[in-house]
Amino acid sequence: MSLFLIVALPFIGALVPGLMIQAGRRACALATLSVTALAFIGLMTHVPAVLRGEVVQARVEWLPALGLDANFFLDGLGLLFAGLILGIGLLIIIYARYYLSREDPMGQFYAYLLLFQGAMVGIVLSDNILLLLVFWELTSLSSFLLIGYWKHLPEGRQGARMALAVTGGGGLAMIAGMLILGEIAGSYDLTVILQNREAIQSSELYMPALILILLGAFTKSAQFPFHFWLPHAMAAPTPVSAYLHSATMVKAGLFLMARMWPVLAGTDAWFYIVATTGLVTMVIAAVIALFKDDLKALLAFSTVSHLGLITMLLGLGTGMGAVAAVFHIINHATFKAALFMTAGIIDHETHTRDIKRLGGLRKLMPATFVIATITALSMAGIPLLNGFLSKEMMLYEASHTPWAGSYWVVPVLATVGALFSAAYSFRYIWHVFFGPVRKDYPSKPHDPGFGMLASPAFLSVLVVLIGIMPSLAEPLVRLTAAAVIGGELPEFHLQLWHGVNAALVMSIIAVVGGVILLALHRPLDRAWIAAPRPEAKIIFDAVVEGAASGSRWLTDRLHDGALTRYAAIFTVTVLALAVHAYLTGGISRPTRAMMPPGVVPTIGWAMLLIAAGCLVAFHRRRLVALVLMAIVGLVVSVGFVYLSAPDLALTQISVEVVTIILLLLALNFLPKTTPSESSVARRVRDGGIAVVAGLGAGALIYALLVRDFAFPTISEYHLANSYKGGGGTNVVNVILVDFRGFDTFGEIIVLGIAALVIYALTEALLSSPVRARLLAWTDESPDAGDAHPMMMVVVTRVMLPVVLMVGVYILLRGHNDPGGGFIAGLIVAIAVVMQYMASGFAWAEARQRYPYHGAIGAGVLIAGLTGIGAWFAGEPFLTSAYGYIHLPPIEEFEWATAMGFDLGVFLTVVGAVLLSLQSFSRIARRSGDRVSAHPMDIDPSREEC
Amino acid sequence: MSHWVVMPIVVPALLAALMVLTMRHHPALQRTFSVGGIIAVLFIAIGLNVSAGTGAIHVYELGDWPAPFGIVLVVDRLSALMVLLTTLLALAVALYVIGTGWDRRGRHFHALLQFQIMGIIGAFLTGDAFNLFVFFEVLLIASYGLIIHSGGTARLRAGVQYVVYNLLGSTLFLFALGTLYAVTGTLNMADLAERIAALPAEETALVRVGATLLLLVFAVKAAILPLHFWLPGSYANAPAPVAALFAIMTKVGAYAIIRIYSLVFPPSLVATQGLFDIWLMPAALLTLTVGMIGVLGSVRLERLVAFAVVGSMGTLLVAVATLTEQATAAALYYIVHSTFASAALFLILDLTVERRPEGGRIAVAPPIAQNGLIAGLFFAAAIALAGMPPLSGFLGKLLVLDAARAAERTWLIWTVILATSLLAIVGFARAGSTLYWKSAAVMPAAGAAVADPPPAVRPAALPFVSVGGIMTLLVAATVFAGPLTDYFAAIAAQIYTPANYIEAVLGARAS
């Protein structure tokens, strides 16, 4: 079977349980089992090839630009781990079938389990270290789901998050490590990397790569000081603990260290980091394990301790160390998975995992007792069981390993670790199964059915078999160890009796010491409980909570919603970077001489200054502010006239009129003054920023004005081609509707959208609680008794046709003389606005037959369709055409398609302005504005003043 | 000359006008035309990609005026890709709002949506700096309309901040264009490129100011710190599907930076040396950091996702700021990923928030309908956005990390990217486990359970189709990462040979 398929099967299979659960729990479990079995069989088909020493490969390109390819390979090490993952996976699936209760969603469980299985198989078969990273993080994610499987348990959720944060975080460090490693080796393919030992170890990047990769491995394999997540992951259902947290996931870190052993191991750095971490982990976790009352916590810490043991063996960097590590990986997987299952059985049957509430189960659960005893004794390192063999090898290696010149540190610590290991193993047997039968079990215990016992029983048979006949396991150990070492295997034989040597002595000390410790457990336990010690979960929670609240504080402080502060930051940033840009460039001398200031410009300049200054002083009085703004606008318009830009002046002045009117209407619903909300210091600061920014803008404009263009401008072309190509003598208009008609098309759309938005906003306001406030709102200022003054009504009505005529005139002449659709639209809009103002909203509204939305839509459509018209002549969008028509008795006149476009502009402008006005009027009318039934009405109720 | 180039702008514009004119009171018609229009533009966009994929650069001279005197639209590989991205996203969002009825909660939704699409696509296609300003205005005002769609105090307030802040940006845009025009006398981007390259060293100061101001305008759009302040509030308070659409809006800023700063202001010129490289990368890293800190520090889901968008822009800008061909290719992959991942997350957020009486507050509440499905979607989208395997976020992150080797201080960039990933993971895990796990464990209060039995109405399938569609695109971006990155490398190669672009635009008449 292709390696791809072996990896993919669990992933694809993850869909199966979710569907099969419909057919019942048995079908669901069977389906899951067959998926894993299929993958297992597929793996087994490669065994002969691997035994022959071949390396099975499967490669396909995925992301060659990065060097990330879906390359898999299978050698001895991969085979051992894949076999463990799938083989123990089979046992776990069977066990879980009986473990899960009816309330637990089994489909989900198996789906997650298969996802995890696929990710694990992916890790151990990856030939590409980036691909390995993908699977690596996938195991973190799938274990997150598995640990949090019981959503209702807070421990489950917290444990899941902690495991994800620690192992996922380690994975992130590993990303960097792998990228560095790939850079040194020139490839991300393991098969290539493994050939490059010298290059890697001599590189100056070796240390960072090593540390980053080890961070990943240590977090995953729960090495001190990252060990704390594993006990909390025990909130998961026991099958998960047995699978992930004893047999597979936590071994991923070991796998990685073994995989990288040929290139990373053998240096001092490797020895001191890895072996020391392993040793410390082994001892500390073993000590803690002895004092855990929760069965699973005890097993969890014992797992950490044994992982430390294996890490230490790998860290030694010797061939025999690697052999011992491989052998202990196999042994630990067998006895620890079985032990977890027995813990699950006890929990399942007695409804408690607290050792202090247990005892005497020997008689009540004999089968469980036998299995638990065999496996626990193996863990303790008792002869004739497999744990003894590998522990003996470990002690032997430890006995002659110097640490920083000292020959006693490693052996003593190793013995202490083994001693505590024996002690907690004995405790697991003694305190749970021996002693008197109690009366107060939460549930009456008895042995479970065959289904639940089958898996651990099978494993305990393996424990005994390997323990008695180690030669059975030897081919597998040799095969794997050869793959780990990647070269010549040291001379060794797995056998029960090595004669009396240092290891045996240390072993005896450990076992005897273990018994003594167990005997002294009660006083020691009291001392332990009384002693102060750091609680990892509390620290971790505090760190995360601190980070979260710190983040919240920082985020809320930064984003406090104060627009003035945002604007101040904006202005300062822009100023600083603009000044930087200016100072780092070169500037030539001005090329234009200063002109003497004339009288008119000086007056205009003074008015601008005065108006702006007054605006600063009086900006809290909104009406005054509006008037002052109008003055600024007028001066600008005059400026355009003075500078011979009549089109701009016309546009500017009509825009001014319309904006001021609309703003006046809006002011009607707002308070008359702006409250002072910021402190004096803040105002001084903001004022300073504003002044500097204004000076900066002024300086920039000055610098631009005193210099000529560095290159000839495109406007020469516009002047030259306006009449010839655009058919108009008013260059401004030709630019607007022709040269840059597309800009105008966009701008009228902006205007149209703005009106639609105002309309939508009004609708939203009027259908919200604001409506009630508007209805309740009364204007406190005294009414002008004459709401619709007769003079104004008469004048506006008389003027309406005249203004409309002017509008049309301006529209039509625009192409050759100052004018055009935009200005015409504004003029017409003003004429209508004046009707609203003079005669009242209701009066004008009643005479308004065409919806303004339509005018906007029609305007944009007409402009667009005019543009599209060019397509039929084979020209691009908005290409204009013009010609002359002679219709007697009228004089010959010019037509241009640009007129159609201008008409569109005109309609959009009219529609947009009037729709905005209408929206305001709707607010006004809802707010209790009196609708005058007659024109020119005089309010009889007004008080004479 | 093919008119297909201008179609993606004209079609939505006219459709929107038609909707305003004739279908104001016919929501069903609006929906039909809206979706139909987007699908039409989608097909055109596919055509443009096929055509531009060959490496050809199409220039469309509006009004038949030659560049640089008139306005040109330019389709190259990059702009075609961005147009396609926009339409795909718009289609998903349109289907979603129709499925959830969001479009009926206010007026003119579909018209504004079409105008918005027009503005975004116009910004991608135009080859004229001032025309870019016009389209920025179109998309700004349309997006303002969409943000305040259906009203509400918080939304209106956020809308004001959004529009005021972006108007500051628009003002700056005018300053920038004025400065550049006053020195160079042109607005066409290709022409600008030629003239700025020819600028003597003693004339550079003002162009440098103009270039910096322009970059700051794009920085506002791309939400680069410290010019990002408009984003969190407005995205968090906008209707979530609208925020999903806005996933492409920040990319407009990123696109503009890539385009203008490879074509007009490449850092190798005398006029632009040492101008951006000193601050763009630190700003990008700061953006990433503040964004992901915001993910961890948010108490509302909407805000969390909004900050995730900021963070994701930070990662993208790290790639952009590296300013190499490889990094730009990485940035393009990240653009595609980040657009779909952010959009998906916003839509899933909406599915959640709309089902919860508590809204988006990350706190325990009675379980929502379809908790499992929505939780699964959230899990997947969060994985994508946090950059965890196996989805495109991880590949994008690897590409960015790999490209960052070319930058100075690689170790700092790597540290920031990886450390902020951890913040994002923890932030998403906390939020997700509270919203979907802890809440699932809560039994509805006894009284409430009796009062309102679970609604018998089958929830609409269309929203899930939309979200599923986006997730499918993310998966596709992962599976076909190889061919995609190859193509993006081709795009980057095209971007980094601006001579072809300039030749296509200015030499169109000569040939």
Side-chain angles (χ1 to χ4, degrees):
Chain A
M1 194 187 282
S2 159
L3 294 184
F4 292 128
L5 203 55
I6 297 176
V7 175
L9 255 176
F11 286 114
I12 302 167
L15 300 170
V16 173
L19 298 172
M20 289 305 288
I21 191 68
Q22 316 267 354
R25 292 156 58 84
R26 182 189 300 268
C28 180
L30 275 176
T32 313
L33 193 67
S34 44
V35 169
T36 307
L38 204 57
F40 188 71
I41 293 166
L43 184 75
M44 287 304 129
T45 58
H46 293 298
V47 169
V50 176
L51 282 178
R52 281 196 303 274
E54 292 172 22
V55 173
V56 185
Q57 290 200 328
R59 314 173 71 83
V60 67
E61 284 199 338
W62 182 11
L63 189 43
L66 191 63
L68 166 57
D69 291 313
N71 296 343
F72 295 98
F73 81 124
L74 179 69
D75 63 352
L77 182 62
L79 182 69
L80 169 70
F81 271 90
L84 278 179
I85 293 157
L86 293 170
I88 294 185
L90 285 171
L91 301 178
I92 295 291
I93 291 167
I94 298 171
Y95 177 80
R97 156 71 183 84
Y98 299 97
Y99 179 85
L100 292 178
S101 74
R102 296 216 159 264
E103 289 81 50
D104 298 324
M106 183 186 262
Q108 254 179 47
F109 181 84
Y110 279 135
Y112 296 162
L113 201 71
L114 284 178
L115 278 181
F116 169 78
Q117 193 175 72
M120 271 315 291
V121 175
I123 289 183
V124 299
L125 296 189
S126 290
D127 187 5
N128 184 292
I129 52 175
L130 295 181
L131 185 69
L132 188 147
L133 277 175
V134 170
F135 290 117
W136 186 273
E137 294 286 53
L138 269 182
T139 58
S140 302
L141 290 169
S142 50
S143 78
F144 174 75
L145 293 174
L146 281 168
I147 299 171
Y149 172 73
W150 280 327
K151 303 179 181 62
H152 54 278
L153 293 181
E155 303 85 38
R157 295 192 299 266
Q158 289 159 9
R161 287 204 305 262
M162 188 194 279
L164 180 66
V166 176
T167 61
L172 290 169
M174 214 168 85
I175 292 178
M178 292 301 196
L179 286 175
I180 297 175
L181 192 64
E183 189 178 345
I184 306 173
S187 167
Y188 292 114
D189 276 356
L190 265 172
T191 33
V192 179
I193 292 173
L194 292 181
Q195 310 297 325
N196 279 305
R197 181 190 160 97
E198 275 74 34
I200 291 169
Q201 297 203 347
S202 62
S203 163
E204 56 184 14
L205 292 173
Y206 168 74
M207 270 310 280
L210 177 69
I211 291 172
L212 290 167
I213 292 174
L214 285 179
L215 268 177
F218 286 173
T219 49
K220 202 72 154 185
S221 283
Q223 294 301 295
F224 182 83
F226 307 110
H227 63 287
F228 57 88
W229 68 267
L230 186 59
H232 293 283
M234 293 300 148
T238 302
V240 174
S241 310
Y243 194 34
L244 273 67
H245 306 130
S246 75
T248 56
M249 187 172 95
V250 290
K251 299 263 168 68
L254 302 180
F255 167 80
L256 190 74
M257 286 188 270
R259 184 87 279 177
M260 296 283 182
W261 198 85
V263 285
L264 295 183
T267 61
D268 276 353
W270 170 273
F271 172 75
Y272 282 110
I273 298 176
V274 179
T276 312
T277 308
L279 197 59
V280 169
T281 310
M282 178 170 96
V283 176
I284 290 184
V287 174
I288 299 176
L290 182 59
F291 299 103
K292 285 291 168 186
D293 291 331
D294 180 355
L295 283 181
K296 280 175 77 177
L298 186 154
L299 291 179
F301 277 103
S302 86
T303 304
V304 174
S305 169
H306 280 265
L307 293 171
L309 188 162
I310 300 170
T311 304
M312 184 197 73
L313 285 173
L314 288 169
L316 296 180
T318 60
M320 268 321 284
V323 171
V326 168
F327 193 31
H328 199 67
I329 286 174
I330 300 172
N331 295 337
H332 180 253
T334 50
F335 68 68
K336 189 52 68 65
L339 274 172
F340 265 111
M341 291 193 216
T342 60
I345 290 172
I346 295 166
D347 185 21
H348 199 259
E349 298 303 325
T350 66
H351 292 221
T352 181
R353 300 195 310 243
D354 189 343
I355 295 179
K356 291 195 171 136
R357 300 183 62 187
L358 292 167
L361 294 182
R362 177 169 51 102
K363 299 205 179 76
L364 297 169
M365 304 173 75
T368 314
F369 163 64
V370 171
I371 296 169
T373 308
I374 292 174
T375 47
L377 289 179
S378 174
M379 177 159 76
I382 301 299
L384 297 184
L385 299 168
N386 61 1
F388 169 72
L389 299 169
S390 43
K391 185 170 278 187
E392 200 78 342
M393 287 167 80
M394 180 274 285
L395 291 172
Y396 181 74
E397 290 305 310
S399 65
H400 57 77
T401 302
W403 193 92
S406 155
Y407 276 90
W408 60 268
V409 175
V410 178
V412 167
L413 283 178
T415 312
V416 169
L419 192 152
F420 274 89
S421 181
Y424 63 67
S425 303
F426 296 149
R427 183 173 179 231
Y428 188 86
I429 302 168
W430 194 256
H431 285 182
V432 174
F433 291 98
F434 285 85
V437 174
R438 295 167 70 143
K439 300 229 169 1
D440 58 346
Y441 303 117
S443 172
K444 181 97 181 92
H446 54 79
D447 266 331
F450 174 72
M452 249 174 132
L453 281 174
S455 298
F458 174 75
L459 289 170
S460 56
V461 168
L462 283 184
V463 166
V464 177
L465 267 184
I466 299 175
I468 299 173
M469 290 183 284
S471 52
L472 279 181
E474 195 168 311
L476 185 60
V477 173
R478 282 188 177 279
L479 186 66
T480 313
V484 171
I485 295 168
E488 280 297 297
L489 272 180
E491 192 58 32
F492 76 95
H493 279 290
L494 296 183
Q495 55 195 27
L496 205 49
W497 181 248
H498 288 275
V500 178
N501 57 12
L504 191 65
V505 175
M506 288 155 82
S507 220
I508 291 169
I509 295 174
V511 171
V512 173
V515 173
I516 297 171
L517 268 185
L518 182 65
L520 294 174
H521 185 264
R522 195 174 292 266
L524 283 177
D525 193 40
R526 270 198 295 273
W528 176 264
I529 291 169
R533 56 184 187 280
E535 187 59 58
K537 181 167 189 319
I538 295 171
I539 298 170
F540 177 83
D541 285 352
V543 168
V544 171
E545 210 41 62
S549 53
S551 303
R552 192 173 313 139
W553 178 83
L554 183 69
T555 306
D556 291 349
R557 279 293 296 269
L558 266 180
H559 308 87
D560 61 355
L563 190 54
T564 46
R565 200 172 55 86
Y566 296 171
I569 293 173
F570 173 92
T571 314
V572 170
T573 310
V574 169
L575 257 176
L577 290 176
V579 168
H580 164 258
Y582 181 84
L583 293 180
T584 49
I587 184 99
S588 58
R589 294 190 156 279
T591 53
R592 288 181 179 173
M594 295 291 282
M595 292 195 295
V599 178
V600 178
T602 314
I603 295 173
W605 178 75
M607 279 181 72
L608 272 182
L609 279 190
I610 293 167
C614 290
L615 192 53
V616 172
F618 300 118
H619 74 279
R620 296 199 187 285
R621 294 163 64 185
R622 292 179 170 172
L623 195 63
V624 177
L626 203 55
V627 171
L628 290 165
M629 276 161 62
I631 293 176
V632 173
L634 281 176
V635 176
V636 172
S637 309
V638 172
F640 284 140
V641 174
Y642 182 78
L643 296 169
S644 321
D647 273 285
L648 293 187
L650 267 176
T651 313
Q652 181 71 34
I653 200 151
S654 16
V655 167
E656 286 295 330
V657 171
V658 169
T659 357
I660 295 294
I661 290 175
L662 289 180
L663 279 174
L664 271 175
L665 285 171
L667 273 192
N668 200 21
F669 308 108
L670 295 172
K672 299 290 173 268
T673 55
T674 312
S676 162
E677 283 170 328
S678 43
S679 64
V680 176
R682 185 157 191 159
R683 267 180 276 166
V684 169
R685 183 201 73 183
D686 290 349
I689 293 174
V691 167
V692 176
L695 287 175
L700 175 64
I701 292 166
Y702 176 81
L704 293 172
L705 287 181
V706 296
R707 284 178 183 77
D708 285 309
F709 290 97
F711 302 93
T713 75
I714 53 171
S715 52
E716 317 287 336
Y717 179 91
H718 292 150
L719 285 171
N721 285 280
S722 166
Y723 187 69
K724 199 167 61 181
T729 52
N730 178 1
V731 184
V732 174
N733 184 268
V734 176
I735 288 178
L736 282 179
V737 299
D738 202 336
F739 287 118
R740 301 193 68 94
F742 198 54
D743 280 344
T744 312
F745 185 60
E747 288 297 353
I748 59 171
I749 285 175
V750 171
L751 203 57
I753 300 172
L756 294 182
V757 170
I758 293 174
Y759 173 78
L761 194 54
T762 314
E763 288 291 308
L765 276 181
L766 292 181
S767 56
S768 75
V770 178
R771 178 162 181 259
R773 270 182 20 219
L774 275 174
L775 286 174
W777 178 67
T778 44
D779 195 356
E780 281 158 17
S781 57
D783 277 349
D786 201 358
H788 306 294
M790 183 183 290
M791 289 290 282
M792 191 162 165
V793 171
V794 172
V795 169
T796 51
R797 288 188 198 172
V798 170
M799 272 177 63
L800 181 63
V802 180
V803 179
L804 290 182
M805 197 65 211
V806 171
V808 172
Y809 171 67
I810 296 262
L811 171 67
L812 289 179
R813 74 177 213 148
H815 216 44
N816 292 316
D817 296 297
F822 195 83
I823 303 170
L826 288 172
I827 290 174
V828 168
I830 292 169
V832 180
V833 169
M834 274 163 35
Q835 304 306 314
Y836 274 90
M837 288 169 67
S839 306
F841 292 124
W843 184 88
E845 198 71 359
R847 283 153 187 78
Q848 201 281 109
R849 288 186 207 143
Y850 303 101
Y852 298 128
H853 297 267
I856 297 173
V860 174
L861 261 186
I862 289 174
L865 290 176
T866 311
I868 287 178
W871 291 354
F872 297 103
E875 298 289 341
F877 189 65
L878 285 177
T879 306
S880 65
Y882 63 94
Y884 297 91
I885 299 180
H886 185 74
L887 274 182
I890 313 174
E891 272 190 71
E892 184 185 67
F893 67 91
E894 183 194 353
W895 64 270
T897 53
M899 308 280 279
F901 185 76
D902 231 3
L903 180 66
V905 174
F906 170 79
L907 283 176
T908 312
V909 171
V910 172
V913 173
L914 294 180
L915 184 59
S916 318
L917 176 83
Q918 192 189 31
S919 301
F920 282 126
S921 81
R922 285 167 56 82
I923 298 179
R925 290 175 62 187
R926 297 289 173 105
S927 71
D929 196 31
R930 286 182 306 279
V931 176
S932 60
H934 309 285
M936 304 174 229
D937 59 339
I938 289 174
D939 180 9
S941 68
R942 79 179 163 132
E943 288 168 26
E944 296 291 340
C945 36
Chain B
M1 191 180 289
S2 137
H3 299 302
W4 295 114
V5 175
V6 75
M7 287 280 208
I9 300 173
V10 172
V11 169
L14 294 192
L15 258 184
L18 200 65
M19 282 179 198
V20 174
L21 181 61
T22 60
M23 307 172 204
R24 278 200 307 290
H25 308 294
H26 306 285
L29 269 183
Q30 287 182 18
R31 289 174 166 190
T32 315
F33 274 78
S34 191
V35 172
I38 295 171
I39 290 176
V41 177
L42 177 62
F43 278 111
I44 298 170
I46 292 172
L48 289 180
N49 272 280
V50 170
S51 167
T54 60
I57 297 178
H58 299 283
V59 177
Y60 190 82
E61 296 176 336
L62 287 150
D64 205 24
W65 295 107
F69 311 109
I71 296 168
V72 289
L73 302 181
V74 186
V75 180
D76 62 355
R77 286 177 174 143
L78 176 61
S79 47
L81 171 77
M82 298 307 292
V83 172
L84 181 64
L85 211 56
T86 312
T87 39
L88 281 172
L89 182 65
L91 183 62
V93 169
L95 292 179
Y96 186 89
V97 291
I98 292 171
T100 49
W102 259 107
D103 54 344
R104 296 202 187 186
R105 298 193 195 173
R107 296 301 177 99
H108 289 310
F109 182 87
H110 287 289
L112 290 172
L113 175 67
Q114 295 294 327
F115 279 134
Q116 172 82 19
I117 295 170
M118 172 219 172
I120 294 172
I121 292 182
F124 289 142
L125 286 182
T126 188
D128 186 280
F130 189 81
N131 198 234
L132 184 64
F133 168 76
V134 172
F135 281 113
F136 267 37
E137 293 305 286
V138 172
L139 69 86
L140 166 62
I141 194 80
S143 61
Y144 174 59
L146 289 173
I147 282 184
I148 57 171
H149 175 72
S150 91
T153 312
R155 198 165 284 161
L156 292 181
R157 188 174 293 147
V160 169
Q161 294 216 338
Y162 171 78
V163 81
V164 171
Y165 201 92
N166 277 281
L167 284 175
L168 286 177
S170 298
T171 314
L172 199 61
F173 206 154
L174 285 180
F175 270 99
L177 289 177
T179 309
L180 291 177
Y181 182 78
V183 179
T184 62
T186 190
L187 289 167
N188 179 286
M189 297 201 283
D191 201 25
L192 271 173
E194 276 203 334
R195 294 183 180 202
I196 286 169
L199 205 66
E202 67 275 10
E203 297 278 2
T204 52
L206 294 173
V207 158
R208 287 169 78 86
V209 173
T212 303
L213 297 185
L214 197 58
L215 184 58
L216 288 169
V217 174
F218 301 148
V220 170
K221 279 278 177 279
I224 304 179
L225 243 71
L227 306 178
H228 72 295
F229 286 104
W230 58 274
L231 193 146
S234 52
Y235 277 37
N237 288 301
V242 169
L245 179 68
F246 287 0
I248 193 76
M249 260 208 336
T250 42
K251 309 303 183 296
V252 175
Y255 162 86
I257 294 175
I258 294 177
R259 169 70 79 203
I260 303 271
Y261 293 86
S262 62
L263 175 65
V264 184
F265 304 113
S268 53
L269 295 183
V270 181
T272 49
Q273 245 168 20
L275 197 48
F276 324 116
D277 26 5
I278 56 157
W279 59 267
L280 197 53
M281 181 62 85
L285 292 176
L286 208 57
T287 310
L288 175 57
T289 310
V290 167
M292 292 315 185
I293 285 179
V295 169
L296 185 58
S298 289
V299 286
R300 297 188 65 87
L301 189 56
E302 298 96 331
R303 221 166 140 80
L304 184 147
V305 181
F307 276 109
V309 169
V310 175
S312 149
M313 284 310 290
T315 312
L316 168 56
L317 288 160
V318 167
V320 172
T322 306
L323 291 171
T324 63
E325 207 174 303
Q326 189 203 355
T328 304
L332 293 175
Y333 186 84
Y334 206 85
I335 285 181
V336 173
H337 150 74
S338 157
T339 305
F340 290 132
S342 324
L345 210 48
F346 266 115
L347 294 184
I348 294 162
L349 169 166
D350 189 60
L351 288 174
T352 309
V353 170
E354 291 286 310
R355 282 168 166 75
R356 283 163 56 97
E358 287 79 2
R361 204 159 56 81
I362 301 173
V364 182
I368 57 175
Q370 295 142 316
N371 186 41
L373 177 59
I374 296 173
L377 287 169
F378 179 84
F379 187 63
I383 284 176
L385 204 58
M388 293 283 277
L391 288 174
S392 49
F394 183 69
L395 301 184
K397 187 177 351 189
L398 280 187
L399 286 168
V400 174
L401 289 171
D402 192 42
R405 290 191 221 263
E408 289 171 40
R409 287 189 291 275
T410 305
W411 59 270
L412 176 67
I413 298 172
W414 282 14
T415 309
V416 172
I417 291 182
L418 294 173
T420 51
S421 297
L422 186 60
L423 289 181
I425 292 169
V426 175
F428 275 115
R430 281 166 63 93
S433 70
T434 304
L435 284 172
Y436 302 105
W437 282 357
K438 208 168 175 180
S439 294
V442 175
M443 286 299 122
V450 182
D452 38 67
V457 198
R458 226 182 121 73
L462 203 52
F464 289 98
V465 170
S466 161
V467 177
I470 298 182
M471 296 308 290
T472 311
L473 286 172
L474 278 178
V475 171
T478 314
V479 174
F480 301 109
L484 272 180
T485 45
D486 285 349
Y487 184 63
F488 294 156
I491 296 181
Q494 194 182 42
I495 297 171
Y496 277 84
T497 39
N500 293 345
Y501 183 102
I502 296 170
E503 164 64 22
V505 172
L506 297 180
R509 284 302 165 102
S511 54

